[in-house]
Amino acid sequence: MLEEYKVLWVLLFVALVFTPVTLNAIRRYRETPPPMAKNDRKLYRLWRSDPDAYERQYGAMDREYIAAQERKAAARKQNKDSD
C-alpha cells in the first residue's frame, strides 16, 4: 500500500515540475518575434519585455529586412520563371 503512494507521489511531483516548463516551451514555440529578435538574445529579451521600445529602436531595420527578403524572393521567382 505504501509503495503505491510512493509511486503516486513521484508521478505527482513529476507532473507539477514539468507542467510549467512544458507550457512555457509551447508558448515560446507559438510566438513570432520580429526577424532581428529571432537571432539575437538581447533583442529578443527587449522585444519580450517592452515591445514598444523594441519597435522604436529596431522597427525600421526590421521593415527594411523584410522588404529586402521580399525583393530577394521576387527576384528568385522571376529568375526561376525565366529559366
Side-chain angles (χ1 to χ4, degrees):
M1 182 83 174
L2 187 59
E3 292 296 321
E4 292 174 4
Y5 284 124
K6 285 183 181 178
V7 171
L8 182 65
W9 281 112
V10 168
L11 290 176
L12 183 64
F13 175 75
V14 168
L16 288 175
V17 168
F18 286 108
T19 299
V21 172
T22 304
L23 293 176
N24 189 26
I26 291 170
R27 189 185 79 234
R28 289 189 74 179
Y29 176 76
R30 288 183 179 173
E31 65 187 19
T32 54
M36 292 179 61
K38 284 181 184 177
N39 300 319
D40 190 336
R41 184 180 307 266
K42 181 185 111 182
L43 296 182
Y44 179 79
R45 287 181 180 165
L46 175 63
W47 174 72
R48 289 272 309 200
S49 66
D50 191 0
D52 294 331
Y54 176 86
E55 179 63 30
R56 282 192 307 272
Q57 293 178 2
Y58 299 101
M61 290 170 49
D62 277 336
R63 287 187 289 278
E64 288 177 26
Y65 178 80
I66 291 170
Q69 292 298 317
E70 289 172 354
R71 285 192 304 270
K72 186 177 174 182
R76 188 178 302 139
K77 182 179 179 186
Q78 183 182 11
N79 194 10
K80 188 175 183 180
D81 290 342
S82 66
D83 287 344

